[in-house]
Amino acid sequence: MRFLLDAEQRAFADSLDAMLTAADTPSVVRDWSRGDHGGGRALWSRIAKAGVFALAVPEAYEGMGPRPVELAVGFIELGRHAVPGPLVETVAAAALLAELADPLPAGRLLPSLASGEASATLALDGAYALDGDAATTRLALAADGLRLAPGHGPVRASLDPARHLTPLSPGGELLSTAPPVAHALGWARLATAAQALGVGLALLDRTVAYVKQRTQFGVPVGSFQAVKHRLADAKIALEFARPLLFGAALTMAPADVAAAKVTACEAAYVTARTALQLHGAIGYTAEYDLSLWLAKARALRTAWGTPAECRAEVLSGGDRRW
Amino acid sequence: MDLTLSPADEAFRAEARTWLAAHVPQTPLRSLETEEGFAAHRVWEAELAADRWSVVSWPEVYGGRGAGIVRWLVFEEEYYAAGAPGRVGQNGINLLAPTLFDHGTEEQRARILPSMATGEVVWAQAWSEPEAGSDLASLTSRAVRTNGGWLLSGQKTWSSRAAFADRAFGLFRSEPDTPRPHQGLTYLMFDLRAPGVTVRPIGRLDGRPAFAEVFLDEVFVPDEDVIGEPGGGWRVAMSTAGNERGLTLRSPGRFLAASDRLVALWRGRADPSDTALRDRVADAVIGARAYQLFTYAHASRFLDGATMGPESSLNKVFWSEYDIALHETALDLLGPDGESADTDWSEGYVFSLAGPIYAGTNEIQRDIIAERLLGLPKGRR
Ligand SMILES: Cc1cc2nc3c(=O)[nH]c(=O)nc-3n(C[C@H](O)[C@H](O)[C@H](O)COP(=O)(O)OP(=O)(O)OC[C@H]3O[C@@H](n4cnc5c(N)ncnc54)[C@H](O)[C@@H]3O)c2cc1C
């Protein structure tokens, strides 16, 4: 029983953080939002080199996984830096492909996902796939099984300008008639929870820094109790989401993962509302970088399981002690 | 990073489970906020103590098992899962005992701890005063030097279980003219039945005498009942406060067991189409798990040598709000039956309502989080 990250895991987070800080992600996000994927692709391959996607790919397919705890560590950092792209989808696709009864598609597709040469998106049952315009591997779960989609339909805007919602074209190669969807969903939810926690942590950090320097009535606004208490509540919400995330990464039980997903996303969303309020009008502008995280907190809340779906999952098992 | 217990810890769990299965009273004891219930709970404490289960984390010489924090958590999980009674001695065990371990003398520990462990002497906390609530340092009750000890005078209030308890511990002003209110305070223990003490029970919301006010008129306390240095009581008290808000006052085991009971209640009687209520039940389950894992993470830090700091305020706000939400959900599930006053749920509900007020109000805790964890500037209090 030592429920703490070890030195190696913390060093992994720190090195990703340093790399992403140097990469000026806000400008990458803004380009990505306009459909200019160049900077995003370059960043993607550096993230892959750091090993993030390999954590979801088994060693047999040139990955380092499956290692959900380290993946969660990595995705917190991706969220903290608002990295754009089908990050969660690539992880979910990797988890799905790795567990197919027929090992051939995995052998063909997984090594390039692990190395970052390829990126993937995944759509369940006719839902939109994220960033189908940018992903190189498009997986669609249709009525007859899992297919490699030949292309994508018209791009729809998301409330998060950095997310492009894309229907996938029908047809394409049939990879499996019985794909392990629940397994992939677990990985997608875990990665989303971690990303959301990172988004929430970034929103809190930025807001704390802002209220310390913004003065009104002759004092920093952060000295007002109404301001402090909202930030304290955001801190509490995020700090109690974190252990659920790592607990879920250790067990990967569907109820645990669902609990982490709903809690991390709600905590990030509460923090986003607080961040917007405490920045005043400047927070409500697209120009100011805070908007990049605000928009993502909203979008992640319903991605890969709404709060209601996740709560239902928590109660769906039989009676058990944790 | 792992959540698995060592075989030795698992064996400890099994031993606790077996003992509790054989000893937990079949019919629940009456509320410990009643005279009769209080007496029954003392008997239960003695039974626990006879087999050294009343204070598992204490050293063996004082009646404990020398259990580390992980085993303490395991014990609490088993204790509440077994449906065992609430702890009548908790103020002494959770607040005074850690203070004595940190600041007491060997003589004080040997004299005070064993009878606390058996429930023979139940302790009350006498900190608050009518004019000193959140601003505790403004307290005015006095300790005046006398031959061989001190004379206490003044008024304490809101003292939990003082209506039926035996002794109390609290802060008194021993040097009236210090420049700052935190200075010149002395931490003392006194007998609730000593000459000069008057205890007046106060009914809480449901009328039960869950706390009391205590009037002191030149009550003699010998020097041996001062904890720490005379005049240095504030520092002693603050180490106690960290314990109160931190892990020990509300263990995750209590909430894990309560959320299990809530799920059983929901399965038994909920309208399946009421998804709003279902979501609240799910949140209760999730909250208990979050609290358990948060505590495990903290316990792991303690094992690495960390001590309890301002993070205990995160804990306090979380459990106190969680406790109310859990009980409100249960009462809503019960519908009109939730109005009935003599159930575990209604008792728990009334108790939970005070959580955001005692042990430092949640407003004060949020200030601590903002200033000491987030580094925001101090403002006007
Ligand atoms: C069930 C119960 C059991 C208790 N048991 C004990 C016990 O055993 N021993 C003991 O000594 N005490 C006990 N207390 C007392 C408890 O510690 C006090 O009630 C608490 O410290 C608050 O003090 P107060 O009630 O005087 O409220 P006040 O301090 O008068 O506060 C009133 C309101 O103002 C708010 N407030 C005050 N100052 C600030 C500020 N600076 N910023 C923002 N808001 C502020 C408070 O948060 C609260 O909402 C108990 C209380 C209850 C309800």
Side-chain angles (χ1 to χ4, degrees), chain A residues 225, chain B residues 125 127-128 133-134 158-160 211 354 357-358 361 363 381:
Chain A
Q225 205 174 44
Chain B
Q125 179 196 20
W127 286 26
S128 304
S134 300
W158 314 129
S159 188
S160 290
F211 39 27
I357 300 171
Y358 64 77
T361 70
E363 285 73 28
R381 279 274 179 288

Side-chain angles (χ1 to χ4, degrees), chain B residues 46-67:
Chain B
E47 191 171 345
L48 276 172
D51 289 321
R52 287 188 302 117
W53 292 110
S54 72
V55 287
V56 294
S57 60
W58 291 9
E60 294 188 16
V61 282
Y62 304 125
R65 290 175 174 249

Side-chain angles (χ1 to χ4, degrees), chain B residues 246-367:
Chain B
L247 302 184
T248 50
L249 185 61
R250 296 286 165 260
S251 71
R254 183 165 171 271
F255 296 127
L256 289 166
S259 78
D260 280 353
R261 283 170 52 224
L262 185 72
V263 172
L265 185 67
W266 173 71
R267 289 203 202 291
R269 53 155 92 206
D271 165 5
S273 69
D274 189 345
T275 52
L277 206 44
R278 179 204 65 195
D279 283 356
R280 289 165 60 196
V281 173
D283 281 342
V285 173
I286 294 170
R289 175 67 164 170
Y291 188 49
Q292 179 194 34
L293 294 175
F294 180 89
T295 309
Y296 279 157
H298 263 279
S300 303
R301 270 186 218 113
F302 289 148
L303 294 175
D304 284 359
T307 49
M308 184 52 99
E311 309 78 46
S312 64
S313 296
L314 297 171
N315 220 48
K316 200 266 156 160
V317 178
F318 185 88
W319 65 247
S320 59
E321 295 193 338
Y322 172 82
D323 202 13
I324 295 179
L326 172 95
H327 283 91
E328 282 175 338
T329 304
L331 295 197
D332 287 350
L333 271 169
L334 287 166
D337 292 346
E339 188 189 333
S340 169
D342 270 318
T343 68
D344 281 358
W345 288 118
S346 54
E347 169 84 22
Y349 170 71
V350 174
F351 184 68
S352 75
L353 288 177
I357 300 171
Y358 64 77
T361 70
N362 284 8
E363 285 73 28
I364 300 296
Q365 303 314 313
R366 288 185 170 94
D367 279 352

Side-chain angles (χ1 to χ4, degrees), chain B residues 1-165:
Chain B
M1 168 163 264
D2 78 287
L3 281 170
T4 51
L5 294 177
S6 69
D9 291 345
E10 287 290 4
F12 175 85
R13 184 190 286 284
E15 191 189 348
R17 185 177 295 183
T18 308
W19 189 89
L20 288 161
H23 290 81
V24 168
Q26 297 290 311
T27 40
L29 307 184
R30 280 206 61 188
S31 164
L32 58 78
E33 316 294 7
T34 61
E35 187 162 11
E36 209 184 300
F38 200 93
H41 279 76
R42 270 193 210 256
V43 174
W44 166 245
E45 292 290 322
E47 191 171 345
L48 276 172
D51 289 321
R52 287 188 302 117
W53 292 110
S54 72
V55 287
V56 294
S57 60
W58 291 9
E60 294 188 16
V61 282
Y62 304 125
R65 290 175 174 249
I69 184 144
V70 172
R71 285 198 190 174
W72 176 76
L73 284 164
V74 165
F75 175 73
E76 291 280 309
E77 287 174 14
E78 292 304 322
Y79 186 86
Y80 286 103
R87 302 294 302 274
V88 71
Q90 60 170 312
N91 277 347
I93 292 169
N94 295 331
L95 299 174
L96 180 57
T99 306
L100 289 175
F101 285 124
D102 288 351
H103 302 276
T105 63
E106 197 48 61
E107 183 278 325
Q108 286 173 331
R109 290 194 275 268
R111 175 162 50 93
I112 292 163
L113 294 176
S115 60
M116 184 192 290
T118 59
E120 190 187 327
V121 176
V122 176
W123 289 80
Q125 179 196 20
W127 286 26
S128 304
E129 296 183 3
E131 300 304 325
S134 300
D135 185 11
L136 179 64
S138 69
L139 61 88
T140 58
S141 291
R142 297 176 311 281
V144 176
R145 203 91 194 73
T146 187
N147 217 352
W150 303 79
L151 292 175
L152 309 184
S153 298
Q155 183 187 350
K156 297 287 181 180
T157 192
W158 314 129
S159 188
S160 290
R161 290 175 277 285
F164 310 117

Side-chain angles (χ1 to χ4, degrees), chain A residues 1-6 9 69 204 207-208 211-212 220 222-225 227-233 235-236 239-248 250-251 256 258-260 262-263 307-312 314-322, chain B residues 1-6 13 17 70 77-78 81 256 259-260 263-264 266-267 278-279 281-283 285-286 289-294 296-297 299-301 303-304 313-315 317-318 362-363 366-367 369-371 373-381:
Chain A
M1 219 301 292
R2 193 175 180 285
F3 187 53
L4 279 184
L5 295 177
D6 61 30
Q9 290 161 336
V69 172
L204 179 64
T207 308
V208 165
V211 301
K212 280 191 207 172
S223 64
F224 296 124
Q225 205 174 44
V227 169
K228 284 182 183 167
H229 286 194
R230 283 196 75 159
L231 288 169
D233 282 336
K235 173 82 177 163
I236 294 166
E239 290 307 325
F240 280 87
R242 192 197 299 270
L244 279 177
L245 171 68
F246 288 113
L250 284 173
T251 68
D256 291 3
V262 62
T263 307
E309 284 164 349
C310 290
R311 290 186 171 110
V314 167
L315 292 175
S316 71
D319 285 315
R320 65 166 179 147
R321 301 271 306 285
W322 290 92
Chain B
M1 168 163 264
D2 78 287
L3 281 170
T4 51
L5 294 177
S6 69
R13 184 190 286 284
R17 185 177 295 183
V70 172
E77 287 174 14
E78 292 304 322
L256 289 166
S259 78
D260 280 353
V263 172
W266 173 71
R267 289 203 202 291
R278 179 204 65 195
D279 283 356
V281 173
D283 281 342
V285 173
I286 294 170
R289 175 67 164 170
Y291 188 49
Q292 179 194 34
L293 294 175
F294 180 89
Y296 279 157
S300 303
R301 270 186 218 113
L303 294 175
D304 284 359
S313 296
L314 297 171
N315 220 48
V317 178
F318 185 88
N362 284 8
E363 285 73 28
R366 288 185 170 94
D367 279 352
I369 293 165
E371 289 169 14
L373 294 177
L374 299 177
L376 294 177
K378 273 197 182 291
R380 275 191 53 201
R381 279 274 179 288

Side-chain angles (χ1 to χ4, degrees), chain A residues 61-292:
Chain A
Y61 304 107
E62 298 172 33
M64 303 189 300
R67 292 169 73 174
V69 172
E70 283 76 9
L71 186 98
V73 169
F75 266 72
I76 290 175
E77 296 309 316
L78 300 182
R80 281 201 336 129
H81 290 275
V83 174
L87 301 157
V88 168
E89 292 65 25
T90 295
V91 164
L96 188 61
L97 291 168
E99 294 289 309
L100 296 183
D102 172 8
L104 288 179
R108 210 170 81 213
L109 297 167
L110 281 179
S112 59
L113 289 182
S115 71
E117 279 156 67
S119 58
T121 193
L122 172 64
L124 301 185
D125 300 321
Y128 289 112
L130 181 66
D131 294 326
D133 54 336
T136 54
T137 303
R138 299 180 199 90
L139 298 177
L141 188 81
D144 60 348
L146 182 70
R147 285 180 181 275
L148 204 50
H152 67 87
V155 174
R156 280 192 56 168
S158 154
L159 280 175
D160 176 2
R163 288 166 64 89
H164 294 171
L165 308 177
T166 48
L168 296 185
S169 312
E173 182 189 340
L174 185 67
L175 299 179
S176 164
T177 51
V181 182
H183 174 76
L185 189 61
W187 281 77
R189 284 183 174 170
L190 183 82
T192 307
Q195 193 184 5
L197 180 60
V199 166
L201 293 170
L203 286 162
L204 179 64
D205 280 354
R206 290 178 157 256
T207 308
V208 165
Y210 183 77
V211 301
K212 280 191 207 172
Q213 58 97 121
R214 171 71 175 170
T215 64
Q216 290 290 284
F217 304 98
V219 291
V221 296
S223 64
F224 296 124
Q225 205 174 44
V227 169
K228 284 182 183 167
H229 286 194
R230 283 196 75 159
L231 288 169
D233 282 336
K235 173 82 177 163
I236 294 166
L238 294 167
E239 290 307 325
F240 280 87
R242 192 197 299 270
L244 279 177
L245 171 68
F246 288 113
L250 284 173
T251 68
M252 285 306 273
D256 291 3
V257 176
K261 158 68 171 95
V262 62
T263 307
C265 288
E266 295 303 281
Y269 187 62
V270 163
T271 307
R273 291 285 322 282
T274 293
L276 173 57
Q277 181 66 24
L278 299 188
H279 275 79
I282 196 172
Y284 192 69
T285 62
E287 281 156 47
Y288 194 65
D289 284 346
L290 190 77
S291 65
L292 309 179

